[in-house]
Amino acid sequence: MTTTVFLAVIGAALMHAIWNALIKGGKDKMLNMTAVIFGHAPLLLLLLPFTSLPAPASWPYLAGSVALHLGYQWFLINSYQWGDLSQVYPIARGSAPLIVATVSVLFLGVVLAPIEGIAIALIGCGIISLCLVRHADGLRNGRAALLALITGCFISAYSLTDGNGVRVAGNVMDYYAWHTIGNILVFGIFAHIQRPTIVRDIAQRGKIAFFIGGSASFTAYCTVMWAFSQAPIALVVALRETSIIFALLIGVVMMGEKLNLVKLASTMMTVCGAVLLRFSRS
């Protein structure tokens, strides 16, 4: 993993935390999620003239990823309905690198160096352990934890699907452009069925999520897809999950959440894992 890829994925992690905070912080989470997804459209229109159809070999991956993203987005909405940012985000994002790394090693023939395995374990354990502070505060929320864990399974599944899809697509941007089109169409139909007035509601109350959240989400995952083509999928997924550090800061500074020693120690564990991951093949 080169310095360029490392810094790009860290930037994507920050943008990912921002759009998640916008969804969690808003009262209407279905509206905000739909606004974020529709907010991909302006940047997509700028990208489309420079893309073409990806290689046919990637089309099954595209279809699978769009379906998995629908599940991910739906469970994320429901997770935030029941839990807060510092509970849902760690479980959902923290479980992903561990699942992806396990599947990559067991079924995809990926071989990780021992220090890379330690780095992934540190990141995953550091992030997941953040949810324990809710137990210490007496705010046990089993439903939110279960929904967040299911969300993490969807994250793992679409990460593996896209990681392999971009490698056979011929061009990363071709794959991502058509993936975004599919995501907008499929989630748009789903949202309209759930709420026929969703487009009007976004125009009235969802402008911030549309412009800021949509741009952050589009850029973040576009960056991650490019990184999938440059470095092992498991390493990219693990490093991307350092977004919890940014989510923690946003929660404390902007949402009034308390910062205690458990949160601080877990965050430092995540940082140490990221540093090990960066220098594991230097």
Side-chain angles (χ1 to χ4, degrees):
M1 182 176 288
T2 66
T3 300
T4 300
V5 175
F6 178 83
L7 293 176
V9 177
I10 290 294
L14 172 59
M15 288 182 282
H16 193 279
I18 289 172
W19 75 257
N20 268 260
L22 284 173
I23 291 174
K24 172 56 190 173
K27 293 182 179 180
D28 193 336
K29 293 168 179 58
M30 181 65 180
L31 181 144
N32 282 351
M33 176 64 83
T34 309
V36 166
I37 295 171
F38 284 4
H40 293 175
L43 291 179
L44 173 64
L45 292 175
L46 295 176
L47 179 63
L48 278 179
F50 305 99
T51 63
S52 58
L53 278 174
S58 68
W59 294 357
Y61 294 101
L62 272 172
S65 178
V66 169
L68 290 167
H69 267 79
L70 177 62
Y72 153 66
Q73 289 149 353
W74 176 241
F75 276 98
L76 185 63
I77 291 170
N78 283 276
S79 297
Y80 283 145
Q81 294 283 6
W82 292 96
D84 61 18
L85 190 66
S86 63
Q87 179 188 27
V88 170
Y89 203 93
I91 299 173
R93 306 310 306 186
S95 60
L98 303 183
I99 296 171
V100 170
T102 300
V103 173
S104 296
V105 171
L106 294 180
F107 301 106
L108 301 180
V110 173
V111 178
L112 300 178
I115 193 170
E116 292 171 340
I118 293 172
I120 290 172
L122 274 175
I123 292 172
C125 291
I127 293 171
I128 291 175
S129 65
L130 281 166
C131 72
L132 297 178
V133 299
R134 312 313 298 175
H135 299 175
D137 292 343
L139 300 177
R140 194 179 299 273
N141 192 338
R143 178 176 292 184
L146 177 60
L147 290 169
L149 183 59
I150 296 173
T151 303
C153 291
F154 276 103
I155 293 169
S156 305
Y158 78 61
S159 295
L160 287 167
T161 301
D162 288 333
N164 288 282
V166 296
R167 297 183 183 210
V168 299
N171 183 283
V172 175
M173 292 300 99
D174 291 348
Y175 183 93
Y176 185 58
W178 285 93
H179 176 280
T180 303
I181 291 172
N183 191 30
I184 292 173
L185 290 175
V186 170
F187 194 89
I189 293 171
F190 173 78
H192 177 74
I193 293 172
Q194 295 289 316
R195 188 191 303 180
T197 61
I198 192 70
V199 174
R200 184 188 66 195
D201 293 342
I202 291 173
Q204 294 176 345
R205 297 181 282 114
K207 294 184 180 67
I208 293 177
F210 180 90
F211 288 107
I212 297 178
S215 297
S217 177
F218 181 94
T219 305
Y221 204 57
C222 182
T223 302
V224 167
M225 284 207 180
W226 169 78
F228 282 152
S229 69
Q230 305 295 314
I233 298 170
L235 301 189
V236 174
V237 171
L239 184 58
R240 181 184 59 184
E241 307 319 336
T242 57
S243 57
I244 186 60
I245 298 171
F246 301 113
L248 181 66
L249 292 174
I250 292 171
V252 171
V253 175
M254 302 184 68
M255 295 183 175
E257 296 181 0
K258 294 182 179 180
L259 178 63
N260 55 37
L261 290 177
V262 177
K263 285 185 179 180
L264 185 60
S266 299
T267 300
M268 291 307 298
M269 188 184 301
T270 305
V271 173
C272 290
V275 171
L276 275 179
L277 188 61
R278 167 63 187 91
F279 293 106
S280 62
R281 291 189 176 180
S282 297

